Amino acid sequence: MGAVRQAALVAVVVATAGCAAGSQIRPMTDSTLYPEPQENAITFWGHACTYIDVEGFGIVTDPVFSRRYATIRKRLIPAPPPSSYDQTRVVLLSHAHQDHLDPATLERFPSDAMILAPEPAARYLRKRGIHARIMKPGMEVPFAGGSIIAVASHHPGGRLSLKARADGGALGYVIQTPSATVYYSGDTEYFPGFSTIGYRYDPDIAIMNINAHLRFPEAAIAVADLGMPIVLPIHWGAYNGKSVRHGPRWREELSEALGPIVVPLEVGEAYALPATGAVTVER
């Protein structure tokens, strides 16, 4: 039995044993499923969460580790232990929806970690005593050896928003490292902004949320607009719901269309940033 499946079964047993539900309850953690992140690599932690290590500088995308969100969405696997993300220097939030922004999760990160977020998400956090630096498309935050640039996405930005817009209320991010340029899409529908991102930043690797908002064939067109980078399809593997039920088919369709540039990762797997040669998968 694979580690992910075994961990999921354990989590389900605990969840059905009468434990109270809610974001206030800390989920089980598993240091085997989530070992110390590999240096100079992108590690997938389930749903929209990845840990991007750049020479020991830790960047985390959209972490949500609580046992459930939106009441009905239950966590299927354990959460990373704090020891796996205690080197986090920056947390990137794409928007304020519950499966991408969880104040209780953010409070577990190092107190000196910078949180970057679009304005609606930052406003939501401010009301809960958590400071986030407001980002708008084109804004840049440098770090040693690289920089993080906010880019537009076409998605609702507010906590309860339903209408998708490309107005900066929701964001993606471009992470420029010494060896590669990484694009994290956040949640987004297909929109002309993909061509703009491809032209301006020419990403080598795209971490793309493949879900009900962006699935085949629109996802394949988006990848072409970006310049055909390596694609890590995420937004699955942590919570029940449509992404778990239909995600395998969406990723398979994308893989069949684009071939080996699509590299699906299991939870806990890492994808190495290039040094001097090709990018490789660490299994």
Side-chain angles (χ1 to χ4, degrees), residues 35-135:
E36 191 76 18
Q38 180 182 329
E39 188 169 318
N40 294 318
I42 301 166
T43 304
F44 178 46
W45 278 354
H47 206 65
C49 185
T50 62
Y51 189 105
I52 305 168
D53 182 282
V54 182
E55 299 292 341
F57 188 95
I59 303 168
V60 177
T61 64
D62 286 341
V64 177
F65 301 153
S66 294
R67 286 194 173 181
R68 64 174 67 226
Y69 73 88
T71 306
I72 62 173
R73 298 301 183 211
K74 297 180 180 179
R75 190 168 182 88
L76 303 175
I77 58 176
S83 59
S84 294
Y85 50 88
D86 58 5
Q87 298 300 309
T88 301
R89 303 293 298 278
V90 176
V91 177
L92 304 180
L93 300 180
S94 62
H95 62 290
H97 283 168
Q98 295 179 55
D99 58 327
H100 292 259
L101 185 158
D102 177 46
T105 295
L106 294 175
E107 289 174 348
R108 302 174 200 169
F109 278 79
S111 59
D112 60 350
M114 180 187 300
I115 300 172
L116 306 182
E119 196 277 333
R123 183 174 64 245
Y124 177 85
L125 289 173
R126 185 167 59 248
K127 293 178 180 178
R128 285 148 185 83
I130 299 175
H131 173 74
R133 179 169 176 175
I134 295 175
M135 299 292 287

Side-chain angles (χ1 to χ4, degrees), residues 205-216:
I205 302 168
I207 307 169
M208 299 190 71
N209 289 353
I210 304 300
N211 52 23
H213 309 292
L214 184 68
R215 52 190 171 189
F216 186 82

